[in-house]
Amino acid sequence: KTFSTYLGEVTSVDINRQGTLLLSGSKDNSNRLWDLRLDKPVHRYKGHQNTSKNFVRTSFGPSESLILGGSEDGFVYLWDAQTENIVQTMGWCGGGV
């Protein structure tokens, strides 16, 4: 399958344990959660800045209730998977994470 709602290059993907959700990170400063049964995005997690030329990495948290994202903007974000709210931001003084 091909998904094409991004404005930037996709740099990371992760699939949940059940194989029903795909999490993707992109150089458009966002991470998206896709429902593979419906073939559409169901959540968008924003926070990263100036990643158009930088790597973005995303993954599910251990319980899949959190979404983790890190990039060369020097920050790691934790989002609530359902509400899309940022739960925590962690800075990195040395550059990318």
Side-chain angles (χ1 to χ4, degrees):
K1 295 182 183 184
T2 302
F3 300 108
S4 60
T5 63
Y6 276 104
L7 299 176
E9 177 184 346
V10 173
T11 59
S12 177
V13 294
D14 194 14
I15 295 179
N16 72 338
R17 290 182 199 121
Q18 296 80 21
T20 57
L21 299 172
L22 176 107
L23 183 62
S24 58
S26 170
K27 290 185 178 180
D28 70 354
N29 296 329
S30 72
N31 298 292
R32 286 186 173 86
L33 185 65
W34 301 80
D35 187 318
L36 296 176
R37 297 163 295 187
L38 302 174
D39 294 336
K40 69 177 189 175
V42 291
H43 291 288
R44 183 175 181 202
Y45 309 97
K46 297 184 274 185
H48 292 291
Q49 300 297 314
N50 302 319
T51 59
S52 63
K53 295 183 176 155
N54 299 318
F55 179 79
V56 177
R57 174 75 172 113
T58 189
S59 67
F60 288 98
S63 68
E64 297 182 3
S65 64
L66 292 175
I67 303 297
L68 294 85
S71 81
E72 290 183 3
D73 66 0
F75 292 93
V76 172
Y77 289 90
L78 299 175
W79 291 274
D80 180 288
Q82 292 303 310
T83 67
E84 301 176 17
N85 293 329
I86 295 173
V87 175
Q88 187 172 0
T89 303
M90 294 171 274
W92 176 258
C93 59
V97 288

